Amino acid sequence: MNNESLHIYGPLFSPFVKTVILVCEEKGLNYTAGLTIKGEDVPFKSEQHLKLHPAGKVPILFHNDFMLCETVAICRYLDQVFPHPPMQPENTYERALHDQWCSLLAGEFILPLIHNYFLEFAFPKGENGQVRMDKVKAAEPLLLNTLTKLNNELKTGKTFEQRIFTIVDALITPILDYLHRLPHGAEHLKQFTYLQDYITKTLSQPSCVKLLK
């Protein structure tokens, strides 16, 4: 297969869309991205979008005549079809832990944070378009619990900070970048030494510098 018709459907601000873009950047692939399909605008959650993904989620990958949805599945597919450089550990046990954390990050950690914390800043629904700080405060225990678990995993050195930039890194870096840019989020990150060191390191990765600058 060639990569001339790689297209990622989804809004560019989505951390999951950014994850797939990071994988493409790491592999030096040619791609397009945005809320279009075959050059036509396809609004988010539109009837056409829902036909492609029943839950109305993003990203959706189009590779020639092949279509695939769900972030982790897309990343693994790209890593298999375009294996250089590899973005998953070769060792069976390391890859199993990597897969475990891909699932945890995409489902248990990142998605709840997006819905309960980040969307309040991205699309505030308070009076006169203000951020509802009561909603932010209510979501902070979830945020801190997630950051604690990530920090503890980083401390073990088993999954993150591998010898290569992995799919796990591509998943977590965009969401930590968002958090790092928020005044409240940056203050919370200061509590977690391993996470602070990690985000500083991953944001210096050329693909991250290009995408998340």
Side-chain angles (χ1 to χ4, degrees):
M1 292 191 219
N2 62 64
N3 63 328
E4 293 179 358
S5 59
L6 274 177
H7 179 68
I8 305 157
Y9 172 81
L12 298 182
F13 61 78
S14 163
F16 290 121
V17 171
K18 288 185 176 182
T19 290
V20 177
I21 291 176
L22 281 176
V23 171
C24 289
E25 288 289 343
E26 282 292 314
K27 293 179 174 296
L29 304 178
N30 296 318
Y31 65 89
T32 55
L35 290 171
T36 62
I37 297 175
K38 295 183 179 179
E40 295 184 7
D41 292 337
V42 178
F44 184 65
K45 296 286 189 180
S46 63
E47 182 178 352
Q48 188 174 352
H49 178 200
L50 292 173
K51 287 180 179 178
L52 299 171
H53 195 306
K57 293 182 180 181
V58 294
I60 302 173
L61 177 72
F62 295 87
H63 181 207
N64 298 330
D65 296 326
F66 180 67
M67 185 189 81
L68 185 66
C69 59
E70 294 298 306
T71 307
V72 176
I74 291 170
C75 292
R76 288 175 179 157
Y77 168 78
L78 290 172
D79 197 44
Q80 183 171 352
V81 176
F82 307 103
H84 303 292
M87 295 189 67
Q88 299 176 89
E90 291 184 7
N91 177 276
T92 299
Y93 299 108
E94 290 180 358
R95 181 170 290 213
L97 288 173
H98 174 270
D99 289 348
Q100 167 189 280
W101 274 93
C102 282
S103 297
L104 285 170
L105 286 169
E108 298 299 321
F109 292 163
I110 296 176
L111 202 55
L113 283 181
I114 291 173
H115 289 164
N116 294 287
Y117 191 84
F118 290 101
L119 283 180
E120 186 57 44
F121 289 98
F123 303 102
K125 297 180 180 179
E127 187 175 353
N128 298 319
Q130 296 297 309
V131 174
R132 298 174 297 180
M133 292 309 299
D134 58 324
K135 298 293 184 182
V136 172
K137 289 292 183 183
E140 282 182 350
L142 170 65
L143 173 67
L144 293 173
N145 183 51
T146 299
L147 294 180
T148 298
K149 291 178 178 178
L150 292 174
N151 195 67
N152 289 342
E153 181 61 23
L154 275 166
K155 188 176 180 179
T156 69
K158 292 181 179 179
T159 308
F160 299 91
E161 293 192 304
Q162 297 290 324
R163 294 173 298 278
I164 59 174
F165 188 82
T166 67
I167 295 171
V168 157
D169 298 316
L171 276 164
I172 195 58
T173 299
I175 204 72
L176 288 179
D177 178 59
Y178 274 129
L179 186 63
H180 188 259
R181 293 171 185 270
L182 295 173
H184 296 83
E187 285 300 311
H188 287 312
L189 273 175
K190 290 180 181 178
Q191 304 176 48
F192 303 97
T193 303
Y194 288 94
L195 269 176
Q196 273 199 303
D197 291 344
Y198 173 77
I199 190 63
T200 299
K201 178 181 177 180
T202 58
L203 285 177
S204 67
Q205 187 80 3
S207 60
C208 296
V209 171
K210 180 178 179 179
L211 179 64
L212 304 174
K213 60 184 177 181

